[in-house]
Amino acid sequence: MLVFLGFAMIAVFMALIMTKKLTPVLALIIVPTIFGLFAGAGLGLGDMVLESMKSLTSTAALLMFAIIFFGLMIDVGLFDPLVRFILRTLGNDPAKVVLGTAVLAAVVSLDGDGSTTFILTTAAMLPIYLRLGMSPVVLTCVAGLANGTMNIVPWGGPTARAAAALDVSPTDVFVPMIPSLLAGMIIVMVFAWTLGLSERKRLAGGNPKAAAKGKPDLWAEAGQNNDGGAGTSRGNAGSVFGGGRGGFGAGKPVPGTSPAGTAPTGGSVAVLEAEEDTAGGSLTDSALDPNRSTLRPKLFWFNLALTVAVMVILVLDVVPLAYVFMVGAAIALVVNFPNVKEQAAQLVAHGKSIVAVVSMVMAAGVLTGVLNGTGMVDAMAVWLVEIIPDSMGPFMAVITGLLSIPMTFFMSNDAFYFGVLPVLSETAAHFGIAPAEMARASITGQPVHMQSPLVPAILLLVSLASVELGDHHKKVLWRAAIVSLVMLAVGILLGAIPWS
């Protein structure tokens, strides 16, 4: 019964958010509550949920102050030169912009932290997507794929967990999987290029040759919604992440169209043409409004030094991440906005994004609390192990790789690597399959895992990009599954993962 309820709960949750019958926050609260009652939890549900939420408070604090910190840095103009550089390098070609997004996300993912990757990638690339009228869903899809694939680096978490669970060296797990990682990234780049070509064709109205040249009349459909996506720059002096003063996080979801006979706010063809006339044919100077009142050009080097210091401390991992962003945000506010009213205004400006992210993280505690508290996760794991016939024993490594794709989506990495993997490995040992080989197979599902609503980083990504989680899942899940299968296949072909 618990097995059925567990899988049914996940299925109902996914169906509701992908069909947009409920917002993710409401689905994360209502669906587990109903299934928890069916599981007989009764009044004990409250304790289960609160216990789960305790482990999420530091994550919620991290995301809250990270949004404030990077939102402030965007407001004061720290990333404006980067955006202009990227536009000059990639031009106005959507295909190159999407490919550049994948490369940027992959490089930043080397730090092993998904939240940092998504914050920096969104900060650098979302203004460009909105300026060109591209769909932010494409950004979340490509960034999610790149980060999920790179997540198997030894310091990223899953590899370390698998190694610890099976008492093997992380190096023994990761090094033989480097070809699989490279193959996975090649597939990610292919997906990025094809998505970019689709955006180029859509924006060009069937004239991709013109789209590649970046003609201003190509962006006439800048306000069109594509898979929940394309928006406008929406306003002038606004925080990119915030909501109070017209930044592109000003509301959810991103508006899809403008009223008949009007142009999208901040992204009209007329505006673009005027900018092209005055700027010598370049749109690079208008990626972010250069006249917003929050700019602090005289403090550019201070803000850059502060941001670099925060990033270095994050990588060194010498202080809890949430506290790093707390202190960083406080210093940034005091220096850039010494007036108390301005400080309050900045906090309010980023309030919508903070509420969206933190509420979703805490709501995810209901789902994980019910899964763990009722025993559904354990029952699902035991059932999956039991249904594998003895005749399939020689193929346990491959089976583990295949199971890692859905199971790490439905449950946390801790639950899979410390609860399921040891049981599978013990069974595989009777057929001569080494623990390190099982560990390698188990990490191939990470591209799909990173798209799970149980992963706070992906909730942060869709919130910053003002994208519905269901829209993100519709575009990314099947692609992520293909990347995982390619990584598994390459591991098998090269002998890192035994076939039999």
Side-chain angles (χ1 to χ4, degrees):
M1 177 59 73
L2 287 177
V3 174
F4 170 76
L5 289 176
F7 283 114
M9 179 172 66
I10 298 295
V12 171
F13 167 76
M14 292 298 298
L16 287 174
I17 66 170
M18 293 185 74
T19 58
K20 297 185 179 180
K21 300 296 184 183
L22 284 177
T23 65
V25 172
L26 293 181
L28 283 167
I29 296 172
I30 295 173
V31 174
T33 298
I34 293 174
F35 278 88
L37 292 174
F38 275 114
L43 296 178
L45 273 176
D47 293 333
M48 295 177 190
V49 171
L50 289 180
E51 186 64 30
S52 176
M53 284 185 177
K54 289 179 182 178
S55 63
L56 295 172
T57 53
S58 61
T59 299
L62 164 64
L63 300 183
M64 173 180 175
F65 286 97
I67 290 173
I68 294 175
F69 180 81
F70 283 102
L72 286 171
M73 291 300 105
I74 292 171
D75 280 353
V76 300
L78 178 64
F79 295 104
D80 287 27
L82 175 61
V83 172
R84 288 193 290 267
F85 171 78
I86 293 174
L87 273 177
R88 290 192 184 103
T89 303
L90 301 178
N92 296 320
D93 183 359
K96 293 180 181 179
V97 170
V98 178
L99 189 62
T101 303
V103 173
L104 176 62
V107 172
V108 181
S109 293
L110 287 172
D111 78 340
D113 182 70
S115 298
T116 303
T117 298
F118 294 146
I119 289 171
L120 293 180
T121 302
T122 307
M125 302 305 298
L126 189 54
I128 299 169
Y129 275 71
L130 298 183
R131 173 56 63 186
L132 299 182
M134 297 170 62
S135 170
V137 185
V138 174
L139 187 157
T140 64
C141 175
V142 171
L145 286 174
N147 182 255
T149 305
M150 293 295 295
N151 201 40
I152 72 168
V153 294
W155 53 90
T159 299
R161 285 181 174 88
L166 301 184
D167 195 23
V168 296
S169 168
T171 302
D172 292 340
V173 178
F174 174 69
V175 173
M177 291 298 290
I178 291 178
S180 292
L181 173 62
L182 296 176
M185 285 309 305
I186 290 173
I187 300 302
V188 171
M189 296 304 166
V190 171
F191 279 138
W193 184 251
T194 55
L195 285 167
L197 292 178
S198 297
E199 284 295 277
R200 177 199 287 177
K201 182 177 181 181
R202 179 180 68 84
L203 292 169
N207 187 1
K209 193 176 207 180
K213 295 180 181 178
K215 298 289 186 183
D217 59 355
L218 296 174
W219 319 123
E221 299 180 12
Q224 285 189 353
N225 189 353
N226 181 41
D227 285 330
T232 69
S233 58
R234 287 199 281 162
N236 296 319
S239 159
V240 176
F241 294 144
R245 299 195 306 281
F248 57 70
K252 283 179 61 96
V254 175
T257 58
S258 300
T262 65
T265 305
S268 70
V269 179
V271 170
L272 294 182
E273 288 174 343
E275 290 168 346
E276 183 147 320
D277 290 339
T278 58
S282 173
L283 297 177
T284 57
D285 293 332
S286 59
L288 291 173
D289 178 23
N291 299 313
R292 59 190 187 277
S293 62
T294 56
L295 287 176
R296 297 293 186 270
K298 294 181 180 180
L299 294 172
F300 176 83
W301 293 109
F302 169 83
N303 289 318
L304 178 61
L306 177 61
T307 302
V308 171
V310 168
M311 291 297 99
V312 170
I313 296 174
L314 287 179
V315 173
L316 294 177
D317 196 21
V318 293
V319 180
L321 302 187
Y323 183 60
V324 174
F325 278 114
M326 283 181 179
V327 174
I331 294 174
L333 270 172
V334 170
V335 174
N336 288 278
F337 302 94
N339 184 281
V340 174
K341 290 185 178 179
E342 289 181 332
Q343 294 171 5
Q346 277 295 307
L347 292 174
V348 171
H350 302 289
K352 289 186 178 180
S353 291
I354 293 170
V355 170
V357 174
V358 174
S359 62
M360 206 178 303
V361 170
M362 302 312 292
V366 180
L367 180 60
T368 56
V370 171
L371 279 171
N372 294 320
T374 60
M376 289 183 188
V377 166
D378 294 336
M380 294 161 68
V382 171
W383 177 77
L384 284 171
V385 173
E386 288 178 347
I387 65 172
I388 300 174
D390 293 338
S391 60
M392 298 298 290
F395 305 98
M396 282 301 295
V398 178
I399 293 172
T400 298
L402 294 174
L403 286 177
S404 72
I405 297 174
M407 291 194 73
T408 56
F409 183 84
F410 294 146
M411 61 181 65
S412 68
N413 273 340
D414 287 336
F416 178 74
Y417 288 110
F418 294 114
V420 179
L421 181 59
V423 178
L424 294 173
S425 182
E426 183 67 26
T427 304
H430 296 293
F431 298 91
I433 301 175
E437 294 171 328
M438 291 292 288
R440 293 171 201 152
S442 71
I443 62 177
T444 57
Q446 285 305 301
V448 175
H449 165 74
M450 279 304 299
Q451 319 311 320
S452 170
L454 301 180
V455 177
I458 206 66
L459 303 181
L460 175 66
L461 174 64
V462 297
S463 295
L464 294 180
S466 294
V467 166
E468 292 292 339
L469 185 62
D471 289 330
H472 172 75
H473 280 160
K474 283 188 285 187
K475 190 172 286 287
V476 78
L477 282 181
W478 68 269
R479 291 180 170 90
I482 290 176
V483 174
S484 291
L485 291 173
V486 168
M487 294 174 67
L488 179 62
V490 171
I492 293 171
L493 290 174
L494 298 182
I497 300 171
W499 170 252
S500 62

